[in-house]
Amino acid sequence: MAESQQMRDGLETLMYSHRVNLVFNGHVHAYERTANVYKGELDACGPAHHTIGDGGNREGPALPWAEPQPEWSLFREASFGFGTLELDGAAETATWRWFRNQDGGNKATEEVVYKLNADDCNVKAVRGHGAASAQA
């Protein structure tokens, strides 16, 4: 995955220096959510990443995952689905919900609430449920 490393090298410092809170990207046909991370390490001031390239394709989900799973990778799954992001300016929160297609799309598989402008940096997960709630 040389392309992802080149992109990370080119953008990560820029995003970190400008206090980017959350990163949403796609193309890998799977779902993954990370903790706040910078340069491959847990970092409270780094952005949390969501790879949501799981809309589907004829080749199927991207496999296999790199092993072992890094500690900053909180949840990953080779499933097709979609997500929603709800922003609440008054409460300074962002609520992310991910839905697996095979579950019918009417109950979130994973839900994470982020507190934006958190005192200790720019964003942190304050509560969640689903596949990785204990690690959020």
Side-chain angles (χ1 to χ4, degrees), residues 29 55-61 80:
H29 301 285
N57 72 342
R58 62 184 157 172
E59 294 89 10
F80 295 139

Side-chain angles (χ1 to χ4, degrees), residues 87-94 114-116:
L87 302 174
D88 183 336
E92 294 186 330
T93 60
Y114 292 100
K115 177 69 176 165
L116 305 174

Side-chain angles (χ1 to χ4, degrees), residues 37-106:
V37 64
Y38 178 61
K39 298 211 179 272
E41 301 291 330
L42 292 171
D43 186 316
C45 296
H49 294 259
H50 295 260
T51 301
I52 54 171
D54 58 344
N57 72 342
R58 62 184 157 172
E59 294 89 10
L63 290 171
W65 291 98
E67 295 293 344
Q69 183 171 352
E71 65 179 324
W72 46 259
S73 175
L74 299 180
F75 180 64
R76 57 189 185 175
E77 185 172 309
S79 291
F80 295 139
F82 63 95
T84 64
L85 181 66
E86 180 181 323
L87 302 174
D88 183 336
E92 294 186 330
T93 60
T95 302
W96 167 253
R97 292 178 185 92
W98 180 65
F99 302 82
R100 279 192 299 233
N101 287 353
Q102 65 262 38
D103 294 338
N106 50 0

